Amino acid sequence: DGGITQSPKYLFRKEGQNVTLSCEQNLNHDAMYWYRQDPGQGLRLIYYSQIVNDFQKGDIAEGYSVSREKKESFPLTVTSAQKNPTAFYLCASSSGGHTEAFFGQGTRLTVV
Amino acid sequence: AQSVAQPEDQVNVAEGNPLTVKCTYSVSGNPYLFWYVQYPNRGLQFLLKYITGDNLVKGSYGFEAEFNKSQTSFHLKKPSALVSDSALYFCAVRTYSGNTPLVFGKGTRLSVIA
């Protein structure tokens, strides 16, 4: 089945820790995106990548980092610099233009 | 800069009645417009999109949306609501240029009451 897979579904982070969220797609899409969802704030763009080995900051990139070494993979690291990381994180991919983006099932990150 | 506004945080409708979820957008240039639905603790599911052509777009699960260029709106509609339609709905926009990210509204929670 073609799709986009995020793991883990739930993740707990201690204060001062870095954690990495996985996102893999087998749709052969060039572009991949990371969004953060908080109640009442919709989806806010963290980072996006339009091609392998290239990525751009979104609206709320501070405290996050990404890599795009393979077309299929776009992991997101939440660093200790992110002061309020508790949120629902969504990864998406698309082939751009008029095509819709496909979303993973999300990772819920909680600071303990 | 692109932006999307969903003016209603919550919409309540009785089962069997028509529903409308509102969306207005602001872009420079021609827009691609999308509607997504989200169920609790899940990712977003694509419902429908407007690219060009006919202003009335039909999508999944009996939903449709009407593009109105003069009012810069793309309201989501369904003739007869179901309890199972209760969810969070997002409108999104992208301009014609390249593979830029979708810009989303803040979402509207739809509650269909039996």
Side-chain angles (χ1 to χ4, degrees):
Chain A
D1 286 337
I4 182 164
T5 302
Q6 290 185 242
S7 62
K9 189 174 176 67
Y10 299 97
L11 187 57
F12 298 91
R13 191 192 94 167
K14 294 182 179 179
E15 296 283 350
Q17 266 187 342
N18 292 353
V19 291
T20 297
L21 284 60
S22 171
C23 180
E24 303 275 336
Q25 55 101 358
N26 61 5
L27 299 167
N28 200 34
H29 287 165
D30 286 320
M32 297 186 74
Y33 316 91
W34 275 105
Y35 291 91
R36 170 177 170 147
Q37 184 178 14
D38 296 282
Q41 296 197 48
L43 275 68
R44 295 182 290 168
L45 182 68
I46 305 173
Y47 269 98
Y48 67 102
S49 168
Q50 295 178 310
I51 196 167
V52 175
N53 292 323
D54 188 44
F55 48 83
Q56 286 79 40
K57 293 182 178 180
D59 301 317
I60 57 165
E62 185 175 351
Y64 299 97
S65 66
V66 293
S67 63
R68 186 84 187 279
E69 297 176 1
K70 299 187 299 182
K71 189 175 186 177
E72 300 80 16
S73 178
F74 190 41
L76 174 74
T77 296
V78 184
T79 75
S80 57
Q82 172 50 241
K83 298 306 179 188
N84 184 23
T86 295
F88 192 52
Y89 291 86
L90 288 160
C91 180
S93 69
S94 83
S95 51
H98 62 79
T99 63
E100 62 271 25
F102 289 78
F103 281 79
Q105 293 302 298
T107 293
R108 185 165 297 281
L109 174 62
T110 304
V111 174
V112 297
Chain B
Q2 305 167 74
S3 66
V4 174
Q6 293 182 242
E8 301 155 318
D9 292 335
Q10 173 97 26
V11 169
N12 298 318
V13 64
E15 188 176 30
N17 283 3
L19 70 87
T20 299
V21 182
K22 295 180 180 178
C23 171
T24 59
Y25 66 91
S26 174
V27 298
S28 53
N30 292 314
Y32 295 129
L33 293 155
F34 304 82
W35 275 103
Y36 286 83
V37 61
Q38 185 182 36
Y39 297 99
N41 293 311
R42 303 298 295 261
L44 273 65
Q45 296 178 30
F46 168 75
L47 280 178
L48 51 80
K49 64 184 176 185
Y50 171 80
I51 304 170
T52 187
D54 194 347
N55 290 342
L56 185 63
V57 177
K58 294 188 183 297
S60 306
Y61 312 119
F63 284 94
E64 58 190 29
E66 186 167 11
F67 173 67
N68 187 318
K69 187 172 184 177
S70 63
Q71 297 186 3
T72 61
S73 67
F74 189 55
H75 300 331
L76 181 70
K77 299 181 180 184
K78 188 173 182 182
S80 178
L82 300 173
V83 171
S84 57
D85 292 330
S86 299
L88 188 56
Y89 290 81
F90 289 99
C91 182
V93 68
R94 175 196 279 148
T95 60
Y96 278 6
S97 58
N99 210 343
T100 54
L102 292 176
V103 174
F104 286 86
K106 292 190 175 183
T108 299
R109 187 164 300 282
L110 174 67
S111 180
V112 181
I113 305 158

